[in-house]
């Protein structure tokens, strides 16, 4: 077997449909990193002139002309095939040494365990120890498990398998999630795919969210470069309040409840008034006040002369067999409109329409204790 540099076309042909495929192992990601000062290497291992493993390697000079090499999300290889992994590793080590490198870092895109939404191991789950043991046997240093965000790439991911239709997947949502999704649409929230001309608004929404949630955010130039190089992998979503829909629905809600209130009063005039009717009237009166406030708010927004008000944003990426939510946020001023429910709902629908196998909501904490500050 021979390891050598390969062409973009060779690399792309090999990774297509591979279970290890990731947007982090693409020619386009390499071009993005090249623009950031990394030296890019596309290498492949050939057996009788047929590729059996490939990797994008990012080289960074550290000191005395020595470099570290990083394969984001690991090599595109079968980690269960120890013989192949050994051959690739040995030849990668020689390749790196010949290019003044002294370290190779990988974070393989390999599933270790599958758990429930509460963090419990599913019945019949078998930990994927073989991939780890194969790497350790080949003298890779395993830095251990972690529950938070200590590593460059997310260790824990929240996924939904796209092996059902939308209604079947929705049936597994919690009652509160279903209710909130319905509410946001009634409030006039709409989601649209947007182009890079909306990146300034997109970035400002994410920056506000990052400040509020106390995490680092990227600059406008970062997202412009990301979109420039990874455009074919990237989908930008923007959530808006459609002020016309919001006003119309608020008016309908108020009129409907006023009619209901009238019917309750008529019933009270005809029948003996008991606690049940009194409760119905009390609830109806509260709803009328609520809908009046809602209508006032809707009218104020409508009078701003903006048909669409941007309130939330999501950057999703097509990554092999997965459709991933990479970055998202919303404006605190409009938090009652809960745009994330609409954004993630659209992400799910698009993943199903486009035939992805996995809907990946990406990095979460692995501590499922409700006192954990990242819980939820």
């Amino acid at each position: 077997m021979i390891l050598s540099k390969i062409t973009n076309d060779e690399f792309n042909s090999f990774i297509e449909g591979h279970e290890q495929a990731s947007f982090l192992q693409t020619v386009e990601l390499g071009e993005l990193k090249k623009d950031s000062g990394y030296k890019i290497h596309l290498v492949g291992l050939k057996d009788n002139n047929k590729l059996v493993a490939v990797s994008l390697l990012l080289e960074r000079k550290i000191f005395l002309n020595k470099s570290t090499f990083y394969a984001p999300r690991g090599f595109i290889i079968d980690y269960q095939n120890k013989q192949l992994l050994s051959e690739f590793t040995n030849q990668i080590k020689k390749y790196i040494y010949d290019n003044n490198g002294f370290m190779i870092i990988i974070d393989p895109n390999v599933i270790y365990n599958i758990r429930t939404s509460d963090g419990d191991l599913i019945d019949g789950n078998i930990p994927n120890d073989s991939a780890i043991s194969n790497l350790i046997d080949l003298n890779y240093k395993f830095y251990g498990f972690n529950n938070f965000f200590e590593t460059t790439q997310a260790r824990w991911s929240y996924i939904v398998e796209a092996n059902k239709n939308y209604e079947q997947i929705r049936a597994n949502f919690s009652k509160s999630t279903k209710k909130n999704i319905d509410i946001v649409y009634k409030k006039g929230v709409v989601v649209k795919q947007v182009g890079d001309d909306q990146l300034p608004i997109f970035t400002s929404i994410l920056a506000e969210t990052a400040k509020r949630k106390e995490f680092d955010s990227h600059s406008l130039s970062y997202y412009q470069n990301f979109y420039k190089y990874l455009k074919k992998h990237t989908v930008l979503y923007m959530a808006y309040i459609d002020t016309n829909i919001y006003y119309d629905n608020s008016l309908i809600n108020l009129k409907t409840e006023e009619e209901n209130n009238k019917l309750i009063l008529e019933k009270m005039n005809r029948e003996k008034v008991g606690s049940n009717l009194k409760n119905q009237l009390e609830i109806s009166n509260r709803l009328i006040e609520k809908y009046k406030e809602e209508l006032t708010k809707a009218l104020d927004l409508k009078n701003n002369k903006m048909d669409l008000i941007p309130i939330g944003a999501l950057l999703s990426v097509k990554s092999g067999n997965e459709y991933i939510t990479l970055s998202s946020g919303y404006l605190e001023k409009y938090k009652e409109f809960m745009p994330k429910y609409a954004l993630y709902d659209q992400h799910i629908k698009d993943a199903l329409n486009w035939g992805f196998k996995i809907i990946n909501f990406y990095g979460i904490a692995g501590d499922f204790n409700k006192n954990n500050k990242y819980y939820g």
Side-chain angles (χ1 to χ4, degrees), residues 342-354:
L343 289 165
Y344 289 144
D345 194 44
Q346 190 61 51
H347 176 92
I348 291 170
K349 289 173 179 174
D350 285 344
L352 294 172
N353 288 337
W354 295 334

Side-chain angles (χ1 to χ4, degrees), residues 51-256:
L51 280 172
V52 290
V54 303
S55 184
L56 163 70
L57 302 175
L58 309 179
E59 178 189 353
R60 183 172 63 175
K61 298 288 183 187
I62 301 296
F63 61 90
L64 300 177
N65 206 35
K66 293 294 183 180
S67 301
T68 60
F69 284 72
Y70 174 42
R73 270 306 184 227
F75 311 134
I76 309 297
I77 193 172
D78 178 3
Y79 287 89
Q80 313 302 325
N81 187 335
K82 190 172 182 180
Q83 183 177 351
L84 177 62
L85 188 60
S86 175
E87 181 68 26
F88 193 66
T89 296
N90 289 333
Q91 297 220 30
I92 281 282
K93 285 166 68 175
K94 183 178 184 304
Y95 179 88
I96 288 172
Y97 180 81
D98 290 342
N99 284 274
N100 293 319
F102 67 94
M103 180 187 294
I104 175 68
I105 302 166
I106 64 174
D107 34 33
N109 190 27
V110 175
I111 295 175
Y112 180 67
N113 270 325
I114 303 174
R115 298 173 180 266
T116 67
S117 297
D118 297 318
D120 301 320
L121 289 170
I122 65 168
D123 293 339
N125 178 82
I126 301 174
N128 187 4
D129 289 312
S130 61
I132 295 174
S133 61
N134 284 346
L135 290 166
I136 291 174
D137 288 347
L138 294 171
N139 295 318
Y140 287 88
K141 182 178 180 181
F142 178 42
Y143 280 87
F145 297 118
N146 61 76
N147 283 332
F148 298 102
F149 307 105
E150 299 90 339
T151 47
T152 304
Q153 307 300 339
R155 177 179 168 230
W156 294 78
S157 292
Y158 193 99
I159 70 164
V160 174
E161 290 183 292
N163 54 1
K164 301 174 182 176
N165 63 38
Y166 175 76
E167 291 304 325
Q168 289 171 319
I169 289 175
R170 180 186 161 95
N172 289 320
F173 293 170
S174 69
K175 189 180 292 185
S176 62
T177 297
K178 293 176 195 173
K179 180 181 177 181
N180 287 335
I181 290 173
D182 292 340
I183 287 172
V184 298
Y185 293 135
K186 288 178 182 177
K187 280 179 172 285
V189 176
V190 296
V191 174
K192 296 179 180 291
Q193 288 185 31
V194 298
D196 58 337
D197 60 316
Q198 297 299 303
L199 279 172
I201 297 174
F202 177 92
T203 305
S204 67
I205 292 174
L206 264 60
E208 185 196 293
T209 304
K211 184 177 181 181
R212 187 173 68 246
K213 300 272 189 177
E214 298 182 348
F215 62 81
D216 294 332
S217 65
H218 294 296
S219 65
L220 173 59
S221 61
Y222 171 88
Y223 284 113
Q224 286 172 331
N225 271 347
F226 189 97
Y227 191 86
K228 173 185 174 183
Y229 290 109
L230 289 157
K231 181 177 179 179
K232 78 174 188 178
H233 301 277
T234 303
V235 181
L236 295 176
Y237 295 103
M238 197 79 76
Y240 301 92
I241 302 170
D242 185 314
T243 56
N244 293 310
I245 294 175
Y246 183 37
Y247 176 80
D248 291 344
N249 286 349
S250 298
L251 186 59
I252 289 169
N253 287 339
L254 178 59
K255 287 184 174 181
T256 301

Side-chain angles (χ1 to χ4, degrees), residues 253-264:
N253 287 339
L254 178 59
K255 287 184 174 181
T256 301
E257 195 52 49
E258 285 176 339
E259 285 296 320
N260 181 51
N261 191 275
K262 183 180 177 181
L263 291 173
I264 294 171

Side-chain angles (χ1 to χ4, degrees), residues 162 167 316 330:
E167 291 304 325
S316 297
Y330 65 90

